[in-house]
């Protein structure tokens, strides 16, 4: 499915480079730029994008470049358009509020606690469906979702995960001669989701619902997507009554998990502080004195004769950090439109003036 998406995208870009596509290119760029004129409002943004997809499908069908196109060709063009638009608008449309980020964090934190004690039997998953290798494969597919920017690719991750689970149920039904149906599917998906703890689960589902072309979020795709939404809701509302587990035991396990998580966070914080102190200690006396004198960047004013051998490790560490940040920044800038790049450059020039 990923290969098909890649082919559609490259074919779309190839056609958009043709001189006769100038009108389409202008319409697409104008639409992308128009988003900078409005504050993020997910529901409104979703409708605007869906309306644009509909109008562009009409334009593509009537365009000379697709004069002899089949329905599959049109579909490939629309898949390419969706990926292009939503990749460009990703930072503007994905997890656009502090409230949404909070929901993501709370879900992830709760899943982290549940991972410490939740077992398949607590969700009434039949022993015949206990298959660690299949579960692991489904988990990995679900974890891929956050790595993608295009709604189609996020949905593909969900479908791949659910297909693995569905195949597990079918194989169990055939080999063990036991019924395994829709009632067994959701508990396994819930368990896999908890085991996977996919990053930004709430935002990924919301983004896919809003920006995946509505004609594609139907049938099997809709069924699998809806089940994952149900799994997310189940996890948010989960308490002792949701599980085959004693209420007191559940509360004890949750409290133990919270305590262990708190200790782990404190240890992580302590390690970070010790690492910073170690870096400070690694500075040579000359550089440490510059820091004590109030210089935030002691090496900026240093000459080669000021450096000692112990400064090499610190400088190498800073160099690697700088290159890493520079690489990320370059990738981010390359995702901007020409207009956005010009705007950014103007802002930087204003700040430097």
């Amino acid at each position: 499915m990923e290969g098909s998406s890649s082919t559609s995208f490259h074919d779309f870009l190839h056609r958009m480079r043709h001189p006769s596509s100038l009108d389409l290119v202008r319409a697409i760029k104008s639409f992308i730029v128009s988003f900078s004129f409005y504050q993020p409002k997910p529901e409104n943004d979703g409708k605007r994008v869906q309306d644009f997809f509909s109008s562009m499908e009409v334009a593509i069908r009537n365009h000379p470049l697709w004069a002899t196109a089949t329905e599959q060709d049109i579909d490939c063009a629309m898949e390419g358009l969706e990926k292009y638009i939503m990749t460009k608008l990703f930072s503007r449309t994905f997890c656009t509020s502090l409230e949404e980020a909070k929901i993501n964090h709370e879900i992830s934190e709760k899943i982290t606690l549940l991972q410490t004690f939740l077992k398949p039997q607590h969700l009434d998953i039949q022993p015949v469906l206990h298959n660690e290798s299949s579960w692991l494969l489904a988990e990995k597919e679900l974890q891929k979702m956050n790595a993608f920017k295009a709604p189609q690719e996020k949905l593909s991750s969900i479908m791949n995960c659910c297909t693995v689970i569905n195949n597990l149920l079918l194989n169990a039904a055939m080999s063990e001669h036991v019924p395994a149906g829709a009632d067994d599917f959701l508990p396994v998906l819930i368990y896999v989701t908890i085991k996977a703890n996919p990053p930004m689960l709430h935002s990924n589902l919301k983004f896919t619902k809003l920006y995946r072309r509505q004609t594609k979020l139907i049938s099997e795709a809709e069924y699998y997507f809806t089940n994952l939404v149900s799994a997310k809701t189940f996890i948010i509302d989960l308490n002792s009554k949701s599980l085959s587990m004693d209420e007191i035991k559940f509360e004890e396990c949750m409290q133990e998990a919270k305590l262990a998580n708190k200790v782990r966070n404190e240890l992580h914080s302590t390690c970070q502080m010790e690492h910073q102190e170690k870096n400070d200690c690694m500075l040579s006396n000359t550089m440490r004195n510059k820091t004590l004198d109030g210089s935030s960047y002691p090496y900026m004013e240093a000459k080669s004769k000021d450096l000692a051998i112990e400064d090499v490790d610190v400088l190498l560490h800073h160099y690697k950090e700088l290159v890493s940040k520079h690489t990320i920044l370059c990738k981010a800038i390359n995702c901007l439109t020409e207009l956005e790049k010009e705007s950014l450059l103007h802002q930087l020039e204003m700040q430097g003036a």
Side-chain angles (χ1 to χ4, degrees), residues 26-43:
R26 282 175 176 164
I28 292 166
K29 287 188 175 181
S30 175
F31 178 75
I32 292 170
V33 171
S34 72
F35 258 73
S36 62
F37 302 150
Y38 306 94
Q39 289 296 315
K41 290 184 179 179
E43 301 303 326

Side-chain angles (χ1 to χ4, degrees), residues 117-176:
F117 66 87
L118 193 76
K119 305 296 181 189
Q121 55 266 31
H122 296 143
L123 292 165
D124 296 323
I125 297 174
Q126 296 183 58
V128 71
L129 300 176
H130 294 196
N131 188 315
E132 289 291 341
S133 59
S134 291
W135 289 348
L136 181 60
L137 182 58
E139 289 163 31
K140 288 183 176 179
E141 288 297 334
L142 199 55
Q143 287 167 342
K144 290 177 184 177
M145 177 170 55
N146 195 55
F148 298 116
K149 292 184 177 181
Q152 187 268 337
E153 291 170 332
K154 290 182 182 293
L155 184 60
S156 289
S157 295
I158 296 171
M159 292 188 68
N160 290 341
C161 165
C162 291
T163 299
V164 172
I165 295 172
N166 196 48
N167 288 340
L168 172 63
L169 267 61
L170 291 173
N171 290 336
M174 289 188 291
S175 60
E176 302 294 333

